[in-house]
Amino acid sequence: QVQLVESGGGSVQAGGSLRLSCVVSGYTYSSGCMGWFRQAPGKEREGVAAIYASHGSAYYANSVKGRFTISQDNAKNTVYLQMNSLKPEDTAMYYCAAGGRCWVFNFEHWDQGTQVTVSS
């Protein structure tokens, strides 16, 4: 059973930073896709960032390129999303996800999400 335990959400002012962490268990972390997607009220789900743990290839939504960085610590089965220069439009529920196809942010498993709120 895949388990994803996410932490690090919260509230920040525009221009600030947050880092999300996600510990993965029950999944072949070393060979699979890990990432995040987000969903704001009344909006469609949006893939944010994804990475293949085995070789580190990363993918980003255009809306976050240059501001967000996804990284991994394979020894800890943990994936991180560093979010810098946050904007009010980044406000959403962020979900850690695993499995599927990274390049299209098509995930198979995800957690209950953590709220990120960016105030202007």
Side-chain angles (χ1 to χ4, degrees):
Q1 181 179 358
V2 177
Q3 286 192 322
L4 305 164
V5 180
E6 184 177 4
S7 60
S11 298
V12 66
Q13 289 190 328
S17 298
L18 286 172
R19 189 176 80 156
L20 304 181
S21 301
C22 182
V23 181
V24 186
S25 61
Y27 175 68
T28 310
Y29 171 91
S30 60
S31 62
C33 173
M34 296 292 306
W36 271 268
F37 65 88
R38 65 188 181 186
Q39 189 162 22
K43 294 188 177 181
E44 291 187 357
R45 180 182 297 182
E46 179 188 24
V48 175
I51 189 168
Y52 280 109
S54 59
H55 49 77
S57 293
Y59 306 84
Y60 297 94
N62 288 335
S63 58
V64 307
K65 279 182 182 176
R67 301 188 298 121
F68 290 13
T69 303
I70 189 169
S71 62
Q72 63 204 44
D73 184 335
N74 291 347
K76 297 180 179 180
N77 277 14
T78 301
V79 180
Y80 304 97
L81 184 67
Q82 178 66 44
M83 304 184 292
N84 298 329
S85 301
L86 284 161
K87 305 175 181 180
E89 50 264 43
D90 294 317
T91 295
M93 189 72 79
Y94 283 69
Y95 298 85
C96 175
R101 299 173 294 174
C102 270
W103 65 95
V104 290
F105 305 110
N106 188 344
F107 303 107
E108 297 175 341
H109 313 278
W110 51 89
D111 68 348
Q112 294 181 335
T114 188
Q115 180 68 38
V116 171
T117 301
V118 184
S119 58
S120 58

